[in-house]
DNA sequence: TTATGTCATTTGTTATATCATATTTCAATA
DNA sequence: TATTGAAATATGATATAACAAATGACATAA
């Protein structure tokens, strides 16, 4: 009878009907989500300082949830805490960026391999749509937007793989690289390599050829990484 | 002149001499570390409830650092927060455990590949030592200790790869699987598969054969995973 | 005995207070 | 003008307080 506490007696039918109450996210969660979005969208430039107090003032919450959200991002490596204990967005150097890409290259091919048989036709259409949007953004020189769409494309594939842990790891990788990526977008310009590679990925998924899809993802990532690393290397030589 | 704030004027030589001040870790850091160790050593059984207040009382700190540390572990997936917002250690089911191993299998071979040329002779000796200790622990049926040593073995390799981000990801994987692993240790018993596989890994490193080392790690992980998954499957059928 | 309703306690969440350290300001001085 | 240094301010870390939701204990009714 003790176990009854964990599974209170409820008529299965009504339980199904009611479903679980959707507890509203805590303030910490909301602040965290805002920070996340901001980081991905390039609201802060890499290396920019953040303070818990300003954040709490800006968002109209107390210090606690603001601070908790920041700490959470710090823990994920999306924010740095300097030796003086101030918070700033990360600015990846070439080596650090390479490591992010090395890990993505290890994980995302597996994700697409698992995802390939699970994709529904309409989801594939969505991939095509996203890729065309990306092309459009690039042609309009809206590079930050194109990066945004690129991330959506890759994350949609990861979602389909139904590997929640892997997905969360890849999420934090994007978050970590976000500001640096955004800084680069103007140097990165006008490259349609991503577009062509994405087309290859889509084609492989349509043929339900998991191995080919994995190879295409790997190629997309390594070519993309090569460009960014080149830009970063140049940057580091410059200053 | 504005930029001066980011890089205070310090004679580079003296900077090198002094090094950064080693700011003592915060209370949050200390609590976090205690929790971490506890999780790895099986202080809490999987699914056990934790409360921030009890933790703060036990460790003689206020609620804030205790809570922050818990939230940090939640964020890493080492603790769960239930729908009722209570904290408990994770209890991975077979599928979740498999996902952890799938990710380890993707990352650790890369790590050992990068580490192989960087290993010093004495570090290889340390690997041998650890492996023999593990064998000893198993023969004494001290399974939890043997798991502890197994983790040291793998993490030492990851350290040598000098990929800090990858290392931190693998760290969280261990943390996540820790309680479940510890619960299993008695079913897991007397398997010397790990020992033999570790010997293969060491041999490959000694020969500086990175590819062979990667293959050996992959084999170690997949055979280890197979056993645990078998036990977990049985468990899930039982209850 | 078992189910149910009430009330005290515990817990997570958020806000606020306190303290030590960092940073900034700005006037006095060389 | 450039430097210095003390006072004012801002900030992160920690503690405590306040509140609502969840839990547990217990008395009462079936």
């Amino acid at each position: 009878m003790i176990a009854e506490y964990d599974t209170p007696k409820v008529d299965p039918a009504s339980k199904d009907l009611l479903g679980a109450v959707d507890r509203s996210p805590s303030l910490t969660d909301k602040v965290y989500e805002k920070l996340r979005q901001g980081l991905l969208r390039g609201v802060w430039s890499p290396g920019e300082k953040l303070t818990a107090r300003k954040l709490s003032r800006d968002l109209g919450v107390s210090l606690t949830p603001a601070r908790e959200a920041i700490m959470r991002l710090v823990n994920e490596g999306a924010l740095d805490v300097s030796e003086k204990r101030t918070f700033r967005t990360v600015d990846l150097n070439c080596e650090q960026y390479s490591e992010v890409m090395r890990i993505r290259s290890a994980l995302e091919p597996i994700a697409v391999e698992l995802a390939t048989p699970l994709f529904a036709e309409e989801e594939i259409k969505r991939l095509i749509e996203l890729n065309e949007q990306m092309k459009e953004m690039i042609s309009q020189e809206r590079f930050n937007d194109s990066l945004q769409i690129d991330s959506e494309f890759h994350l949609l594939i990861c979602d389909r793989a139904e590997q929640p842990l892997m997905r969360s790891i890849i999420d934090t990788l994007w978050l970590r690289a976000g500001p640096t990526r955004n800084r680069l977008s103007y140097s990165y310009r006008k490259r349609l390599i991503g577009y062509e590679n994405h087309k290859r990925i889509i084609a492989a998924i349509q043929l339900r050829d998991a191995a080919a899809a994995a190879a295409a993802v790997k190629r997309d990532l390594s070519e993309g990484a090569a460009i960014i690393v080149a830009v970063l290397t140049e940057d580091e030589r410059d200053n």
Side-chain angles (χ1 to χ4, degrees), chain A:
Chain A
M1 277 299 162
I2 293 166
E4 287 297 323
Y5 273 115
D6 284 332
T7 53
K9 247 180 270 177
V10 176
D11 173 39
S14 73
K15 194 177 178 182
D16 250 27
L17 263 167
L18 288 169
V21 262
D22 61 334
R23 194 175 294 277
S24 79
S26 68
L27 283 185
T28 300
D29 291 332
K30 291 178 188 168
V31 174
Y32 171 78
E33 198 46 45
K34 277 216 179 276
L35 277 174
R36 246 185 91 79
Q37 291 307 322
L39 286 170
L40 289 176
R41 285 169 194 283
V43 170
W44 298 278
S45 38
E48 191 170 339
K49 192 150 73 177
L50 287 181
T51 74
R53 276 183 166 86
K54 178 159 169 34
L55 186 64
S56 80
R57 279 195 305 270
D58 289 352
L59 301 182
V61 298
S62 85
L63 195 54
T64 310
R67 184 180 156 77
E68 275 187 358
I70 288 181
M71 298 285 272
R72 207 150 136 187
L73 272 313
V74 168
N75 195 230
E76 290 180 10
L79 294 177
D80 263 352
V81 42
S82 75
E83 74 289 348
K84 298 253 180 73
R85 306 228 169 165
T86 67
F87 306 118
R88 35 184 78 244
T89 61
V90 295
D91 190 3
L92 300 186
N93 62 29
C94 185
E95 203 172 302
Q96 294 170 315
Y97 198 93
S98 298
E99 195 186 349
V100 170
M101 293 309 289
R102 187 172 298 120
I103 297 171
R104 284 188 60 197
S105 298
L107 298 182
E108 288 193 30
I110 296 175
V112 77
E113 211 168 324
L114 294 168
T116 294
L118 301 177
F119 259 103
E121 283 303 325
E122 49 182 275
E123 287 169 327
I124 297 176
K125 283 216 182 78
R126 176 77 185 134
L127 287 179
I128 296 172
E129 196 180 305
L130 281 170
N131 197 32
E132 294 305 324
Q133 275 177 28
M134 187 179 85
K135 183 185 184 181
E136 179 63 19
M137 292 298 117
I138 292 174
S139 74
Q140 290 179 29
E141 309 210 338
R142 289 165 62 182
F143 300 113
N144 277 47
D145 288 328
S146 77
L147 291 178
Q148 193 70 28
I149 295 172
D150 182 43
S151 84
E152 267 187 70
F153 182 91
H154 283 273
L155 290 178
L156 177 54
I157 294 175
C158 291
D159 276 339
R160 213 72 223 84
E162 290 175 11
Q163 303 283 304
L165 180 55
M166 192 181 291
R167 166 62 207 244
S168 79
I169 292 172
I170 292 171
D171 249 13
T172 72
L173 295 177
W174 280 99
L175 213 51
R176 203 176 152 76
T180 305
R181 254 172 92 86
N182 276 302
R183 175 161 70 81
L184 288 178
S185 56
Y186 291 97
S187 321
Y188 193 59
R189 61 191 74 207
K190 280 240 166 276
R191 303 283 192 154
L192 282 171
I193 291 178
Y195 176 72
E196 296 298 337
N197 279 325
H198 289 184
K199 277 176 88 167
R200 281 188 202 96
I201 297 168
I202 293 167
I205 292 174
Q206 279 177 319
L207 292 171
R208 307 291 173 183
D209 184 343
V217 166
K218 199 162 236 164
R219 177 170 170 184
D220 181 37
L221 292 179
S222 73
E223 290 184 3
I227 294 174
I228 293 197
V229 163
V231 176
L232 279 172
T233 308
E234 199 175 324
D235 266 31
E236 283 174 23
R237 215 183 17 244
D238 285 358
N239 64 23

